[in-house]
Amino acid sequence: MKVTLSALDTHESSFTPLVVIELAQDVKEETKEWLKNRIISKKKDGGAQLLFRPLLNKYEKETLENQNLYLVGASKIRLLLGAEAVGLVKECNDNTMRAFTYGTRHTFKGFDDDNDDFLTMAECQFIIKHELENLRARDEKMIPGYPQAKLYPGKSLLRRLLTSGIVIQVFPLHDNEALKKLEDSWYTRFTIKCQPTDSIRGYFGETIALYFGFLEYFTFALIPMAVIGLPYYLFVWEDYDKYVIFASFNLIWSTVILEVWKRGCASMTYRWGTLVMKRQFEEPRPGYHGVLGINPVTGREEPLYPSYKRQLRIYLVSLPFVCLCLYFSLFVMMIYFDMEAWALGLHESSGSEWTGILLYVPSIIYAIVIEIMNRLYRYAAEFLTSWENHRLESAYQNHLILKVLVFNFLNCFASLFYIAFVLRDMKLLRQSLATLLITSQILNQVVESLLPYWLQRKHHMQVKRKVQALKADIDATLYEQVVLEKEMGTYLGTFDDYLELFLQFGYVSLFSCVYPLAATFAVLNNLTEVNSDALKMCRVFKRPFAEPSASIGVWQLAFETMSVISVVTNCALIGMSPQVNALFPESKADLILIVVAVETSC
């Protein structure tokens, strides 16, 4: 029998809550009732046809703090029909990958009418998010009770509610039992093992799973560099010029590992179904604004903003600001070199052990300043990119990543290029690289994982004491979980995590030939990074909504660009080495031609 959406019941008294909606404390009752009706109404009437109930009943609201928290779920059939609507791809019994359809559900591997595990919880929450975001205005001109919150046909109601401050946040709930199983197989036992990427994907979705898969792959790819670099460092420690062999290995390594990753990534995402999944039509991002008009492509009424105005903002404001920041970064770099010269002069005049230690102080201070500047610039870049008013989230992310990568690259690596090719001081290059790499790794571990975890633990204890003091007869476990999770920080995506790996890749691939221990420190950092990032995902931040991904996106291009720069840099370092120069004592032109030929072949 064919099941239709109109036949589904949306008034089940009890259901498994998957998503939480938090409303502002002063939201009017008519607005709450209107939102509830739109969520539970049938699809043919413009609703989402989901299950919906408040976290607390009337008696509990009088006993406890009046939290405007609501739980959203869906029946099994509703989720399966939603999976068809979003185009989820599943494996069939004949081992092919096809878009799921409810009518042919029995042809898919693992499906059974009595089995609730066919869709992962991450997929279920993604479906509910999709349905909520696709609740659209029909005849309403405004949100009931809020005449200033204007609506127009086709406008996403959830996005308007969020931008108007009526809805504070929407977030998926953790499944404590499934989370405990994932933690046990992931990070609670400190052993060196492969990441459970399939389990991570089932719980957090493909985007998060791909990051941890890439982190694991990159860490393993660093091991050959570390194995070669350790004896190289020990036996040629004082001879800074004998780096030709290691630089040659760098050339091959930085190119090959990215090509191997692309194959492994395609294999993973094909198995998950996202490689062949059709891309959803991308809606305008929530912060996009303009004059109401008809989109010539979609035919929908939506805000329109002239592209020439956006280009003017980019080239007349954003670009000069970025250039100014780059100039300031170079100015700070020259102050660092003045500090290095002062410390070196002081050490040469006194020659004591204390002044020997003082030689490392300028590099440490500079490394800390670099981290501070990177973070301050990140806020400025986000503000500018938002002000440019990009229509699509993908365009916003691409412009933001470009701004941040350009500044971070210059800020982190300009001093190393200056030392290598202007000062040509390999001893100082080794010292600076070691200090920048190790200091940045320590700061990232503290700021991104340890500090947020400590703050979250402190808040967790406060919530526990508050719930234990209640005398009300309520589902204290669910109440405690929702109240705790709503106060957790929001995970803002994998941007910062990939950026950290990108800079680490730069430190290792560009100049590790003069400091072969760079790869060893990177491996040690990543072994702890895997566990700290896993802890961060499971216990520090709210559970993020799953997002289907077929690759690591624009970061693949960023790493490939760094690989090209690495090839050029290592070829130049090889061309500068005394061993290679000794082969061409008379003609530098021949040496330059050979270096260019090697770069071209790589």
Side-chain angles (χ1 to χ4, degrees):
M1 182 181 71
K2 183 179 180 181
V3 176
T4 61
L5 283 169
S6 60
L8 295 180
D9 181 17
T10 56
H11 297 279
E12 293 183 21
S13 58
S14 63
F15 57 86
T16 301
L18 295 172
V19 172
V20 176
I21 298 177
E22 181 185 5
L23 303 182
Q25 288 296 330
D26 57 350
V27 172
K28 298 174 182 177
E29 288 300 322
E30 63 176 308
T31 310
K32 294 179 184 178
E33 192 63 27
W34 169 78
L35 178 60
K36 173 188 173 183
N37 289 333
R38 290 304 303 267
I39 291 176
I40 67 174
S41 293
K42 298 183 183 302
K43 291 284 283 186
K44 65 183 179 65
D45 298 325
Q49 210 157 344
L50 300 173
L51 303 174
F52 181 87
R53 69 177 175 86
L55 173 64
L56 304 176
N57 62 37
K58 184 177 180 182
Y59 165 73
E60 292 166 349
K61 284 184 179 179
E62 294 171 355
T63 309
L64 304 172
E65 290 184 13
N66 186 12
Q67 303 278 1
N68 273 336
L69 296 166
Y70 296 84
L71 307 176
V72 183
S75 65
K76 178 182 175 182
I77 297 175
R78 178 69 186 87
L79 290 170
L80 291 173
L81 292 169
E84 178 178 348
V86 300
L88 288 186
V89 174
K90 291 288 187 178
E91 186 177 3
C92 295
N93 292 324
D94 60 359
N95 297 323
T96 60
M97 305 296 293
R98 295 178 195 165
F100 176 80
T101 58
Y102 187 80
T104 60
R105 60 192 181 279
H106 292 290
T107 65
F108 288 87
K109 188 175 290 186
F111 182 86
D112 190 282
D113 288 324
D114 298 324
N115 180 18
D116 292 330
D117 297 329
F118 179 70
L119 296 176
T120 67
M121 190 173 183
E123 289 171 336
C124 294
Q125 290 169 334
F126 170 69
I127 291 167
I128 288 180
K129 179 195 174 195
H130 175 268
E131 295 297 339
L132 290 174
E133 287 183 339
N134 277 275
L135 275 174
R136 300 194 177 277
R138 304 183 87 185
D139 302 325
E140 305 100 326
K141 300 298 182 183
M142 64 178 187
I143 293 175
Y146 294 87
Q148 74 279 10
K150 303 295 184 184
L151 294 173
Y152 52 85
K155 172 67 179 176
S156 171
L157 297 180
L158 182 62
R159 296 191 178 200
R160 173 58 76 205
L161 289 165
L162 286 167
T163 54
S164 301
I166 299 169
V167 171
I168 303 298
Q169 58 180 335
V170 179
F171 63 92
L173 271 177
H174 275 294
D175 180 340
N176 289 326
E177 184 178 343
L179 182 62
K180 185 68 172 65
K181 289 180 181 178
L182 176 62
E183 288 177 314
D184 288 341
S185 65
W186 195 2
Y187 73 91
T188 53
R189 299 186 183 93
F190 290 94
T191 56
I192 299 176
K193 57 187 176 184
C194 292
Q195 296 286 286
T197 49
D198 287 336
S199 300
I200 298 170
R201 177 251 173 182
Y203 194 85
F204 288 110
E206 289 80 13
T207 300
I208 304 297
L210 278 174
Y211 163 70
F212 280 98
F214 181 73
L215 175 59
E216 176 188 59
Y217 169 79
F218 183 57
T219 303
F220 278 112
L222 284 166
I223 291 176
M225 292 282 286
V227 169
I228 295 173
L230 190 60
Y232 203 89
Y233 177 85
L234 293 175
F235 294 118
V236 220
W237 162 248
E238 293 299 337
D239 196 341
Y240 300 101
D241 294 324
K242 292 184 178 178
Y243 55 75
V244 175
I245 297 175
F246 203 85
S248 302
F249 182 73
N250 246 345
L251 290 174
I252 302 169
W253 176 83
S254 61
T255 305
V256 169
I257 64 164
L258 296 177
E259 293 303 315
V260 175
W261 162 253
K262 281 198 286 190
R263 293 178 63 87
C265 178
S267 175
M268 266 196 304
T269 52
Y270 179 79
R271 188 173 73 249
W272 295 339
T274 53
L275 187 66
V276 294
M277 185 177 177
K278 291 182 179 179
R279 292 185 62 185
Q280 294 288 314
F281 177 77
E282 195 171 357
E283 297 288 341
R285 55 188 299 271
Y288 177 66
H289 57 85
V291 179
L292 275 181
I294 303 298
N295 187 312
V297 177
T298 64
R300 291 179 181 172
E301 188 180 25
E302 64 176 50
L304 300 178
Y305 187 77
S307 60
Y308 78 89
K309 289 187 177 181
R310 185 180 303 112
Q311 298 302 320
L312 287 175
R313 290 186 174 192
I314 291 173
Y315 291 110
L316 297 183
V317 179
S318 296
L319 183 59
F321 177 80
V322 171
C323 292
L324 182 65
C325 290
L326 296 178
Y327 174 80
F328 181 74
S329 173
L330 294 175
F331 178 74
V332 172
M333 181 189 76
M334 299 314 296
I335 294 175
Y336 156 65
F337 285 123
D338 290 339
M339 292 172 61
E340 283 283 2
W342 171 78
L344 183 61
L346 188 65
H347 177 66
E348 289 176 348
S349 62
S350 65
S352 65
E353 291 184 5
W354 290 108
T355 55
I357 297 173
L358 189 65
L359 288 174
Y360 291 92
V361 172
S363 296
I364 294 173
I365 294 174
Y366 184 50
I368 295 172
V369 170
I370 283 176
E371 290 298 318
I372 295 172
M373 289 171 62
N374 283 345
R375 293 181 187 278
L376 291 176
Y377 175 81
R378 168 72 183 275
Y379 294 124
E382 287 178 345
F383 173 80
L384 275 178
T385 311
S386 179
W387 178 73
E388 290 166 5
N389 198 27
H390 296 280
R391 180 179 177 271
L392 302 179
E393 183 65 26
S394 58
Y396 170 86
Q397 288 294 333
N398 290 341
H399 281 81
L400 176 62
I401 288 173
L402 179 61
K403 288 186 184 72
V404 172
L405 287 188
V406 168
F407 180 81
N408 277 252
F409 181 84
L410 189 79
N411 201 29
C412 294
F413 301 118
S415 61
L416 300 179
F417 279 102
Y418 186 83
I419 295 169
F421 300 112
V422 178
L423 301 181
R424 297 196 177 190
D425 186 342
M426 295 303 161
K427 183 176 181 180
L428 179 59
L429 179 60
R430 173 178 285 188
Q431 174 189 312
S432 297
L433 176 59
T435 309
L436 289 174
L437 176 64
I438 296 169
T439 306
S440 67
Q441 288 178 345
I442 294 172
L443 289 175
N444 282 326
Q445 291 285 357
V446 172
V447 173
E448 292 183 9
S449 297
L450 297 180
L451 182 60
Y453 177 69
W454 178 77
L455 293 173
Q456 182 56 34
R457 288 279 295 179
K458 189 176 179 181
H459 175 70
H460 194 168
M461 295 305 296
Q462 292 173 350
V463 172
K464 272 188 171 294
R465 285 195 296 267
K466 186 176 180 180
V467 172
Q468 288 169 359
L470 296 174
K471 296 181 180 179
D473 184 18
I474 65 168
D475 185 354
T477 303
L478 179 60
Y479 176 78
E480 177 187 343
Q481 179 186 354
V482 173
V483 172
L484 175 64
E485 289 185 25
K486 86 179 183 70
E487 297 296 336
M488 286 179 167
T490 301
Y491 182 67
L492 299 177
T494 54
F495 186 101
D496 288 326
D497 299 313
Y498 278 120
L499 179 61
E500 186 179 344
L501 289 180
F502 173 79
L503 296 176
Q504 187 185 90
F505 178 63
Y507 284 126
V508 173
S509 62
L510 292 173
F511 297 108
S512 65
C513 58
V514 296
Y515 184 61
L517 281 185
T520 303
F521 281 113
V523 169
L524 294 175
N525 174 78
N526 289 358
L527 291 176
T528 59
E529 183 83 13
V530 167
N531 292 302
S532 63
D533 281 354
L535 175 68
K536 180 172 68 177
M537 293 301 307
C538 295
R539 295 296 173 185
V540 176
F541 291 115
K542 291 186 190 75
R543 183 180 187 175
F545 279 105
E547 289 293 339
S549 297
S551 68
I552 62 174
V554 71
W555 289 104
Q556 181 74 37
L557 178 61
F559 277 88
E560 289 174 354
T561 303
M562 180 66 83
S563 175
V564 172
I565 298 171
S566 166
V567 169
V568 175
T569 303
N570 281 278
C571 285
L573 288 171
I574 291 171
M576 286 169 48
S577 67
Q579 296 94 330
V580 174
N581 273 270
L583 298 175
F584 303 92
E586 303 297 332
S587 175
K588 297 298 180 184
D590 292 343
L591 174 58
I592 294 171
L593 289 173
I594 289 176
V595 169
V596 170
V598 171
E599 289 178 358
T600 305
S601 63
C602 289

